[in-house]
Amino acid sequence: MRPILAILMALAPLSAQVERPVSAAARVSGTRQTAPARVTLASLATLARGFDRDLRMFAVTDPIDVLGDTRGIYLDGFGAVFTTELSPIYTPGLSPFQPKISDQDKEKVRQRKLARLPVVERLVNSMLQSAAKELAAVPEDQQIVVAVNFVYLPYEDTTGLPGQMVVKASRRAILTGTEIQATVTNQ
């Protein structure tokens, strides 16, 4: 008698469980609605690491100076945003061996950075394309944004150099190949 009583007591909670509510639309069609796919932190981190690798490996002899890790975040209802800080080239700094930067050297640095900006824009557009392809959980009407903050040393002449470059578009526009222009904010 005891084993039967134990089995009945074990099965008693099953009768107390109720079915989860299902929306009227799902009941009519006979299917259950599933939650939309989520953008995971792991997917954002993987993309950010790839962006950093692409930026750092662009030119071995004259690399881009990535000044911190790219950060990615998903904002529900808006889309995915990636930010990074960099200098288009490694900028010579002051040191005991070079206590002063000549005006001629300052101008060379500025010209090299100006010449590197189109390359940075191509890389940022490539980052945007990669994010749109890899983040399938981002709805097509939401945005993908890549923002680059440019960092300069105090001695630099930043005339004509941007403070920020932002490339953004809806995921749908990116996937369909719509031409996307960077928005550049000057210093």
Side-chain angles (χ1 to χ4, degrees):
M1 190 68 145
R2 284 192 134 164
I4 294 174
L5 183 61
I7 292 172
L8 288 174
M9 287 180 66
L11 294 175
L14 291 177
S15 64
Q17 292 186 11
V18 293
E19 183 181 347
R20 277 197 222 160
V22 178
S23 72
R27 261 197 201 111
V28 170
S29 66
T31 62
R32 288 188 177 250
Q33 291 180 335
T34 58
R38 293 193 46 198
V39 177
T40 65
L41 291 175
S43 64
L44 294 170
T46 300
L47 273 168
R49 281 192 304 274
F51 295 165
D52 289 340
R53 183 193 60 245
D54 292 347
L55 289 167
R56 285 186 176 107
M57 298 304 290
F58 166 70
V60 177
T61 57
D62 189 17
I64 293 172
D65 191 4
V66 181
L67 300 168
D69 293 337
T70 298
R71 292 153 309 275
I73 187 169
Y74 176 72
L75 303 170
D76 193 28
F78 177 79
V81 179
F82 295 90
T83 63
T84 193
E85 293 179 334
L86 59 83
S87 175
I89 63 167
Y90 274 95
T91 308
L94 299 174
S95 72
F97 304 105
Q98 186 175 7
K100 184 177 185 306
I101 307 291
S102 71
D103 290 341
Q104 184 180 5
D105 287 341
K106 289 178 187 178
E107 183 57 25
K108 282 182 187 176
V109 166
R110 191 175 84 72
Q111 290 301 323
R112 285 180 56 219
K113 286 188 177 190
L114 284 169
R116 181 58 67 87
L117 289 176
V119 170
V120 172
E121 184 174 354
R122 278 196 311 274
L123 287 168
V124 170
N125 271 310
S126 175
M127 292 163 66
L128 193 74
Q129 297 288 330
S130 295
K133 290 175 187 167
E134 296 297 321
L135 295 174
V138 173
E140 287 190 354
D141 62 331
Q142 291 186 9
Q143 300 287 307
I144 306 284
V145 181
V146 179
V148 175
N149 289 320
F150 293 97
V151 178
Y152 302 103
L153 294 177
Y155 77 80
E156 289 187 71
D157 174 10
T158 58
T159 305
L161 292 169
Q164 186 177 68
M165 180 183 291
V166 177
V167 179
K168 69 176 183 171
S170 71
R171 186 167 170 266
R172 179 181 301 115
I174 298 165
L175 293 174
T176 58
T178 303
E179 187 172 335
I180 300 157
Q181 295 294 320
T183 302
V184 177
T185 306
N186 288 329
Q187 291 283 66

Coordinates of all heavy atoms in Angstrom, one line a residue, residues 79-115:
G79 N 18.9 48.5 -32.5 CA 19.9 47.7 -33.3 C 21.2 47.5 -32.6 O 21.3 47.7 -31.3
A80 N 22.2 47.2 -33.3 CA 23.5 47.0 -32.8 C 24.5 48.1 -33.0 O 24.5 48.7 -34.1 CB 24.1 45.7 -33.4
V81 N 25.2 48.5 -32.0 CA 26.2 49.6 -32.1 C 27.6 49.1 -31.7 O 27.7 48.5 -30.6 CB 25.7 50.8 -31.1 CG1 26.7 51.9 -31.2 CG2 24.3 51.2 -31.4
F82 N 28.5 49.5 -32.5 CA 29.9 49.1 -32.2 C 30.7 50.4 -32.1 O 30.6 51.3 -33.0 CB 30.5 48.2 -33.3 CG 29.9 46.9 -33.3 CD1 28.8 46.7 -34.1 CD2 30.3 45.8 -32.6 CE1 28.1 45.4 -34.2 CE2 29.7 44.6 -32.6 CZ 28.6 44.4 -33.4
T83 N 31.6 50.6 -31.1 CA 32.4 51.8 -31.0 C 33.9 51.4 -30.8 O 34.1 50.3 -30.2 CB 32.0 52.7 -29.8 OG1 32.1 51.9 -28.6 CG2 30.5 53.1 -30.0
T84 N 34.8 52.2 -31.3 CA 36.2 52.0 -31.1 C 36.9 53.3 -31.2 O 36.4 54.3 -31.6 CB 36.8 51.0 -32.2 OG1 38.0 50.6 -31.8 CG2 36.8 51.6 -33.6
E85 N 38.1 53.3 -30.6 CA 39.0 54.5 -30.6 C 40.3 54.1 -31.3 O 40.8 53.1 -31.1 CB 39.3 55.0 -29.2 CG 38.1 55.5 -28.5 CD 38.4 55.9 -27.1 OE1 39.4 55.4 -26.5 OE2 37.7 56.8 -26.6
L86 N 40.7 55.0 -32.2 CA 42.0 54.7 -32.9 C 42.6 55.9 -33.4 O 42.0 57.0 -33.4 CB 41.7 53.7 -34.1 CG 40.7 54.1 -35.2 CD1 41.4 55.0 -36.3 CD2 40.2 52.8 -35.8
S87 N 43.8 55.8 -33.9 CA 44.6 56.8 -34.6 C 44.9 56.2 -36.0 O 45.2 55.0 -36.0 CB 45.9 57.2 -33.9 OG 46.6 58.1 -34.7
P88 N 44.6 56.9 -37.1 CA 44.8 56.2 -38.4 C 46.3 55.7 -38.6 O 46.5 54.8 -39.4 CB 44.6 57.4 -39.4 CG 43.7 58.3 -38.6 CD 44.2 58.2 -37.2
I89 N 47.2 56.2 -37.9 CA 48.6 55.7 -38.0 C 49.2 55.8 -36.5 O 48.6 56.4 -35.6 CB 49.5 56.6 -38.9 CG1 49.6 58.0 -38.3 CG2 49.0 56.6 -40.3 CD1 50.7 58.9 -38.9
Y90 N 50.3 55.1 -36.3 CA 51.0 55.2 -35.1 C 51.7 56.6 -35.1 O 52.4 56.9 -36.0 CB 52.1 54.1 -34.9 CG 51.6 52.9 -34.3 CD1 51.2 51.8 -35.1 CD2 51.5 52.8 -32.9 CE1 50.6 50.7 -34.6 CE2 50.9 51.6 -32.4 CZ 50.5 50.6 -33.2 OH 50.0 49.4 -32.6
T91 N 51.4 57.4 -34.1 CA 51.9 58.8 -34.1 C 53.1 58.9 -33.2 O 53.0 58.4 -32.1 CB 50.8 59.7 -33.5 OG1 49.6 59.5 -34.3 CG2 51.2 61.2 -33.6
P92 N 54.2 59.5 -33.7 CA 55.4 59.6 -32.9 C 55.1 60.5 -31.7 O 54.4 61.5 -31.8 CB 56.4 60.2 -33.8 CG 55.7 60.7 -34.9 CD 54.4 60.0 -35.0
G93 N 55.5 60.1 -30.5 CA 55.3 60.9 -29.3 C 56.6 61.5 -28.8 O 57.7 61.2 -29.3
L94 N 56.4 62.3 -27.8 CA 57.6 63.0 -27.2 C 58.3 61.9 -26.3 O 57.6 61.1 -25.7 CB 57.2 64.2 -26.4 CG 56.5 65.3 -27.2 CD1 56.0 66.4 -26.3 CD2 57.4 65.9 -28.2
S95 N 59.6 62.0 -26.2 CA 60.3 61.1 -25.4 C 61.7 61.8 -25.0 O 62.0 62.8 -25.6 CB 60.6 59.8 -26.1 OG 61.6 60.0 -27.2
P96 N 62.4 61.2 -24.1 CA 63.7 61.8 -23.8 C 64.6 61.9 -25.1 O 65.5 62.7 -25.1 CB 64.3 60.8 -22.8 CG 63.1 60.2 -22.2 CD 62.1 60.1 -23.2
F97 N 64.4 61.0 -26.0 CA 65.2 60.9 -27.2 C 64.7 61.9 -28.3 O 65.4 62.2 -29.2 CB 65.3 59.5 -27.8 CG 65.8 58.5 -26.8 CD1 65.0 57.6 -26.2 CD2 67.2 58.5 -26.4 CE1 65.5 56.7 -25.2 CE2 67.7 57.6 -25.5 CZ 66.8 56.7 -24.9
Q98 N 63.4 62.3 -28.2 CA 62.8 63.3 -29.1 C 61.9 64.2 -28.3 O 60.7 64.0 -28.2 CB 62.0 62.5 -30.1 CG 61.5 63.4 -31.2 CD 60.8 62.7 -32.3 OE1 60.5 61.5 -32.3 NE2 60.4 63.4 -33.3
P99 N 62.5 65.2 -27.6 CA 61.8 66.0 -26.7 C 60.9 67.1 -27.4 O 60.0 67.7 -26.8 CB 62.9 66.7 -25.9 CG 64.1 66.7 -26.7 CD 64.0 65.4 -27.5
K100 N 61.1 67.2 -28.7 CA 60.3 68.2 -29.5 C 60.0 67.6 -30.8 O 60.9 67.0 -31.4 CB 61.1 69.5 -29.6 CG 60.4 70.6 -30.3 CD 61.2 71.9 -30.3 CE 60.5 73.1 -30.9 NZ 59.9 72.9 -32.2
I101 N 58.8 67.9 -31.3 CA 58.4 67.5 -32.7 C 58.5 68.7 -33.6 O 57.9 69.7 -33.3 CB 57.0 66.9 -32.7 CG1 56.8 65.8 -31.7 CG2 56.6 66.4 -34.1 CD1 57.6 64.5 -32.0
S102 N 59.3 68.6 -34.6 CA 59.4 69.8 -35.5 C 58.1 70.1 -36.3 O 57.3 69.2 -36.4 CB 60.5 69.5 -36.5 OG 60.2 68.6 -37.5
D103 N 58.0 71.3 -36.7 CA 56.8 71.7 -37.5 C 56.7 70.8 -38.8 O 55.6 70.4 -39.2 CB 56.8 73.1 -37.9 CG 56.5 74.0 -36.6 OD1 56.0 73.5 -35.6 OD2 56.9 75.2 -36.7
Q104 N 57.8 70.5 -39.4 CA 57.8 69.7 -40.6 C 57.3 68.3 -40.3 O 56.5 67.7 -41.0 CB 59.3 69.6 -41.1 CG 59.4 68.9 -42.4 CD 60.8 68.8 -42.9 OE1 61.8 69.3 -42.3 NE2 61.0 68.3 -44.1
D105 N 57.8 67.7 -39.1 CA 57.3 66.4 -38.7 C 55.8 66.4 -38.4 O 55.1 65.4 -38.7 CB 58.1 65.8 -37.6 CG 59.5 65.4 -38.0 OD1 59.7 65.2 -39.2 OD2 60.4 65.3 -37.1
K106 N 55.3 67.4 -37.8 CA 53.9 67.6 -37.5 C 53.1 67.5 -38.7 O 52.0 66.9 -38.8 CB 53.6 68.9 -36.7 CG 54.1 68.9 -35.3 CD 53.9 70.2 -34.6 CE 54.5 70.3 -33.3 NZ 54.3 71.7 -32.7
E107 N 53.6 68.3 -39.8 CA 52.8 68.3 -41.0 C 52.9 66.9 -41.7 O 51.9 66.5 -42.3 CB 53.4 69.4 -41.9 CG 52.6 69.6 -43.2 CD 51.2 69.9 -43.1 OE1 50.7 70.4 -42.0 OE2 50.4 69.5 -44.0
K108 N 54.0 66.2 -41.6 CA 54.0 64.9 -42.2 C 53.0 63.9 -41.6 O 52.4 63.2 -42.2 CB 55.5 64.3 -42.1 CG 56.5 64.8 -43.0 CD 57.8 64.1 -42.8 CE 58.9 64.8 -43.6 NZ 60.2 64.2 -43.3
V109 N 52.9 64.0 -40.2 CA 52.0 63.2 -39.5 C 50.6 63.5 -40.0 O 49.7 62.6 -40.2 CB 52.1 63.4 -38.0 CG1 50.9 62.8 -37.2 CG2 53.4 62.7 -37.5
R110 N 50.2 64.8 -40.0 CA 48.9 65.2 -40.5 C 48.6 64.7 -41.9 O 47.5 64.2 -42.1 CB 48.8 66.7 -40.4 CG 47.3 67.2 -40.6 CD 47.3 68.7 -40.3 NE 47.6 69.5 -41.5 CZ 46.8 69.6 -42.6 NH1 45.6 69.0 -42.6 NH2 47.2 70.3 -43.7
Q111 N 49.5 64.8 -42.8 CA 49.3 64.4 -44.2 C 49.1 62.9 -44.3 O 48.3 62.4 -45.0 CB 50.5 64.8 -45.1 CG 50.5 66.3 -45.3 CD 49.2 66.9 -46.0 OE1 48.6 66.2 -46.8 NE2 48.8 68.1 -45.6
R112 N 49.9 62.1 -43.5 CA 49.8 60.7 -43.5 C 48.4 60.3 -42.9 O 47.8 59.3 -43.4 CB 50.9 60.0 -42.6 CG 52.2 60.0 -43.3 CD 53.3 59.4 -42.5 NE 53.0 58.1 -42.1 CZ 53.3 57.6 -40.9 NH1 53.9 58.3 -40.0 NH2 53.0 56.3 -40.6
K113 N 47.9 61.0 -41.9 CA 46.6 60.7 -41.3 C 45.5 61.0 -42.3 O 44.5 60.2 -42.5 CB 46.4 61.4 -40.0 CG 47.2 60.8 -38.9 CD 46.9 61.3 -37.6 CE 47.7 60.6 -36.5 NZ 47.3 60.9 -35.2
L114 N 45.6 62.1 -43.0 CA 44.6 62.5 -44.0 C 44.6 61.4 -45.1 O 43.5 61.1 -45.6 CB 44.9 63.9 -44.6 CG 44.6 65.1 -43.7 CD1 45.2 66.3 -44.3 CD2 43.1 65.2 -43.6
A115 N 45.7 61.0 -45.5 CA 45.8 60.0 -46.6 C 45.2 58.6 -46.2 O 44.7 57.9 -47.0 CB 47.3 59.8 -47.1

